């Protein structure tokens, strides 16, 4: 078996057919195959590796060079996508070999984090990934938002096609990247696909000239559904402005739906609001995202509580060694191979440490899940160092 990196045009013949078989209706039609040519520029900066046997590509994996907010610090993140194997070559270790090489290369280039949407979570847990919260889908009738039509709200709305408002939308999501834990953004070469397709309306909430909220949406049909993407809002006023706009569609659509992060509570936004809020997680098509640290250096300088613990990292290709983690200054400090007397100790897998860094598991849950050995005294210190936090990935790849 030979592993090599693809040049841009080679994706059409080597990786796209594998990905098409794995993730789309097949056999691919001639029209769909032709569409891959148009999709090619939005992959231009990806790293795509293939495994070859007899000169034929039998497996592929790509990494998108992205950025992600980890507890307030924006770090380079490798978004893993397009992991696919020829049906006659499956279960022979090709994906493991490709992922090792791919993440080696991305880590060497400075990507301290990595995230993906798995076909099966347990498969990627073996690579050190841990689950992140799935976004929620909110569905309601526009009539139920009627009370907002009487609200006198500060600010104003902007409404245009996404292509016309792209600069404003991109700037707002860049600000979300700086402000929201877990938030991740595509690089420009990939992000502009939304602008170029121009198949969404862009609605923005502006207060004193500043964009405070945004949502992209489409309407599937008269009498049908207003289908929105992620409802992004900096405060309740901006959110109410966006929802007020949806309420004005009461005589045009029967339903409005949009995505929200896991910590949103739409059922409390209005009195007597009839609303369905759901997160459906089922492999392989409806997966919650996963993420992991690729470098211990990602932890240095993170906001931290006043904890102190000695951590041994075990069983991982990229995270190894023993570290003293100290949050006495309010920022996490790491000292390698430090043996300190009387300091609680824990042994963590890569998934266990990643779960704590992303804030998705309590230290006791890490132990229960078999992602580490965490004595009671270490549980207390790790809770102080890594308070629970709900990451919101946003980017869907």
């Amino acid at each position: 078996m030979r592993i090599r990196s693809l040049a841009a045009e080679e994706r059409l013949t080597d990786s796209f057919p594998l990905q098409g078989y794995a993730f789309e209706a097949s056999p691919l039609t001639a029209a769909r195959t032709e569409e891959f040519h148009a999709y090619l520029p939005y992959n231009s900066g990806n790293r795509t590796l293939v495994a070859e046997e007899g000169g034929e590509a039998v497996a592929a994996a790509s990494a998108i060079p992205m950025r992600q907010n980890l507890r307030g610090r924006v770090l380079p993140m490798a978004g893993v996508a397009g992991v696919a194997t020829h049906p006659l070559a499956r279960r022979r270790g090709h994906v493991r070999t490709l992922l090792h090489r791919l993440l080696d290369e991305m880590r060497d280039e400075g990507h301290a984090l990595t995230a993906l949407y798995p076909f099966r979570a347990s498969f990627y847990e073996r690579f050190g990934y841990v689950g992140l919260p799935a976004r929620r889908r909110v569905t309601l009738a526009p009539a139920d938002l009627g009370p907002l039509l009487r609200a006198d709200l500060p600010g104003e709305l902007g409404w245009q096609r996404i292509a016309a408002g792209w600069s404003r939308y991109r700037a707002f999501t860049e600000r979300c990247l700086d402000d929201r834990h877990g938030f991740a953004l595509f690089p420009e070469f990939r992000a502009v696909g939304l602008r170029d397709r121009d198949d969404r309306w862009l609605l923005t909430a502006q207060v004193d000239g500043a964009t405070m909220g945004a949502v992209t949406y489409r309407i599937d049909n008269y009498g049908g559904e207003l289908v929105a993407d992620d409802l992004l809002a900096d405060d309740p006023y901006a959110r109410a402005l966006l929802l007020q706009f949806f309420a004005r569609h009461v005589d045009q659509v029967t339903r409005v739906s949009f995505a929200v992060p896991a910590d949103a509570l739409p059922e409390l936004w209005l009195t007597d609001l009839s609303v369905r809020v759901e997160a459906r997680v089922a492999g392989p098509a409806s997966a919650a995202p996963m993420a992991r640290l690729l470098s211990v250096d990602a932890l240095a300088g993170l906001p931290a509580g006043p904890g102190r613990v000695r951590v041994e990292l075990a069983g991982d290709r990229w995270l190894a060694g023993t570290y003293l983690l100290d949050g006495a200054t309010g920022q996490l400090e790491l000292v390698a191979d430090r043996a300190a007397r009387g300091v609680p100790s824990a042994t963590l897998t890569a998934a266990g440490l990643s779960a704590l860094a992303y804030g998705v598991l309590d230290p006791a849950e890490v132990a229960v899940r078999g992602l580490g050995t965490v004595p009671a005294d270490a549980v207390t210190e790790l809770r102080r160092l890594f308070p629970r936090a709900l990451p919101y990935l946003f980017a869907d790849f």
Side-chain angles (χ1 to χ4, degrees):
M1 183 180 66
R2 176 193 180 203
I3 296 177
R4 68 182 183 90
S5 181
L6 293 184
E9 290 293 331
E10 290 181 301
R11 293 189 176 99
L12 292 171
T13 55
D14 291 29
S15 63
F16 284 180
L18 291 173
Q19 294 161 9
Y21 182 84
F23 303 116
E24 301 193 29
S26 65
L28 294 172
T29 64
R32 179 57 180 148
T33 301
E34 186 62 28
E35 289 176 2
F36 287 160
H37 289 267
Y39 187 57
L40 198 59
Y42 309 114
N43 290 260
S44 60
N46 291 358
R47 174 71 51 81
T48 299
L49 301 182
V50 292
E52 294 180 332
E53 290 182 346
E56 296 292 329
V58 295
S62 295
I64 309 164
M66 301 173 65
R67 291 167 293 149
Q68 186 178 32
N69 183 314
L70 182 67
R71 294 186 181 266
R73 289 183 63 206
V74 177
L75 298 168
M77 185 269 276
V80 174
V83 180
T85 307
H86 190 286
L88 295 180
R90 292 174 179 173
R91 299 186 179 274
R92 287 163 47 190
H94 293 321
V95 167
R96 172 176 294 276
T97 303
L98 281 177
L99 280 178
H100 283 168
R101 177 77 68 84
L102 185 65
L103 294 179
D104 281 348
E105 293 181 4
M106 298 304 287
R107 184 180 187 272
D108 289 345
E109 292 177 6
H111 293 81
L113 310 172
T114 174
L116 51 77
Y117 287 83
F119 69 91
R120 187 171 67 249
S122 58
F123 177 85
Y124 285 101
E125 187 178 81
R126 296 197 292 270
F127 290 90
Y129 287 86
V130 67
L132 303 185
R135 56 164 58 86
R136 271 53 177 161
R137 193 79 193 168
V138 179
T139 306
L140 45 76
D144 287 330
L145 298 173
L148 287 173
L149 295 174
R150 300 187 295 271
D152 184 15
L153 301 171
E156 59 184 9
L157 290 170
W159 180 71
Q160 56 199 148
R161 294 280 288 262
I162 183 61
W166 173 250
S167 296
R168 181 186 293 274
Y169 182 70
R170 181 67 172 175
F172 181 66
T173 57
E174 288 280 356
R175 207 173 79 220
C176 292
L177 174 67
D178 291 333
D179 295 341
R180 299 189 183 207
H181 169 52
F183 204 88
L185 279 186
F186 288 127
E188 189 70 16
F189 70 81
R190 173 69 176 264
V192 294
L194 178 62
R195 177 199 67 192
D196 296 346
R197 290 190 300 274
D198 199 23
D199 60 356
R200 298 286 195 277
W201 294 105
L202 170 64
L203 179 68
T204 55
Q206 299 157 41
V207 180
D208 295 329
T211 302
M212 303 295 289
V215 62
T216 55
Y217 75 94
R218 61 182 176 82
I219 295 175
D220 67 3
N221 211 338
Y222 177 67
E225 184 171 349
L226 187 156
V227 184
D229 301 306
D230 294 65
L231 188 79
L232 303 173
D234 282 349
D235 60 35
Y237 290 118
R239 183 185 68 215
L241 275 171
L242 301 177
L243 295 176
Q244 189 183 67
F245 177 86
F246 291 160
R248 296 172 188 160
H249 292 73
V250 63
D251 296 317
Q252 184 177 354
V253 300
T254 58
R255 294 178 307 281
V256 172
S257 69
F258 49 88
V260 295
D263 58 356
L265 300 173
E267 63 272 25
L268 304 182
W269 290 351
L270 288 170
T271 304
D272 293 333
L273 180 64
S274 296
V275 61
R276 185 173 77 232
V277 184
E278 59 185 356
R280 181 177 181 272
V281 178
S286 303
M290 303 183 79
R292 62 156 290 164
L293 308 181
L294 278 179
S295 170
V296 180
D297 293 340
L299 299 177
L302 291 183
R308 199 162 184 257
V309 65
R310 185 171 178 266
V311 169
E312 179 183 355
L313 303 176
D316 187 65
R317 182 183 182 91
W318 299 285
L319 303 183
T322 302
Y323 297 85
L324 178 66
L325 307 184
D326 194 335
T329 65
Q331 291 186 317
L332 192 59
E333 297 181 10
L334 291 81
V335 183
D337 298 318
R338 178 73 176 272
R341 282 187 184 177
V343 176
S345 296
T347 300
L348 298 174
T349 64
L353 181 62
S354 298
L356 296 175
Y358 278 96
V360 293
L361 293 181
D362 180 84
E365 292 176 304
V366 169
V368 169
R369 291 273 299 273
L371 304 179
T373 302
V374 191
D377 55 354
V379 165
T380 300
E381 297 301 310
L382 286 168
R383 280 179 182 153
R384 292 171 178 162
L385 286 170
F386 299 106
R388 288 295 293 270
L390 281 178
Y392 173 35
L393 186 62
F394 177 67
D396 192 351
F397 51 95

